[in-house]
Amino acid sequence: MAPYQVVLANSVLDFIAEKVNSERVLAKLEQYRELLSQYPALGTVYDPDYPAARPPITCRQLPIPETPFTLYYAIDEDRRQVDVFYIEFKGADPMARFSFSGLY
């Protein structure tokens, strides 16, 4: 079966361009992007206990090993697409997660 298309939101691309300076981390992010194209259910369903951290859509989370980042994404089975809409720096305030406008 054909792989899923993995689409990174502009905000994710901007974050990576501005904040990720390590070639090793960039390679790891690309490696997991490729893994998501083959195994879109690789991450776990994201269902936090506190509403402030809950996005407006059903999604999955995928911590990227050996990096301080977690990807948040939704799977569109009809289009065979993985939409990565948020990248989290593990040192950031978790209560501000998904607090930006224009998520979808």
Side-chain angles (χ1 to χ4, degrees), residues 46-104:
Y46 180 67
D47 187 23
D49 291 332
Y50 46 101
R54 190 169 293 126
I57 58 172
T58 301
C59 70
R60 301 178 85 81
Q61 64 180 355
L62 180 61
I64 306 302
E66 303 169 20
T67 79
F69 302 111
T70 299
L71 300 178
Y72 291 84
Y73 65 95
I75 303 169
D76 184 331
E77 293 291 348
D78 293 335
R79 294 184 358 220
R80 294 192 54 78
Q81 183 168 306
V82 174
D83 294 305
V84 180
F85 61 86
Y86 189 72
I87 183 169
E88 178 182 41
F89 171 61
K90 293 175 187 168
D93 178 8
M95 296 306 286
R97 186 179 296 144
F98 312 123
S99 63
F100 55 92
S101 62
L103 183 60
Y104 268 93

Side-chain angles (χ1 to χ4, degrees), residues 16-35:
I16 292 169
E18 293 170 13
K19 307 287 186 191
V20 181
N21 299 314
S22 165
E23 291 297 322
R24 180 191 63 79
V25 173
L26 288 171
K28 189 64 86 169
L29 288 169
E30 186 56 35
Q31 175 188 11
Y32 274 78
R33 183 179 184 176
E34 181 62 31
L35 280 172

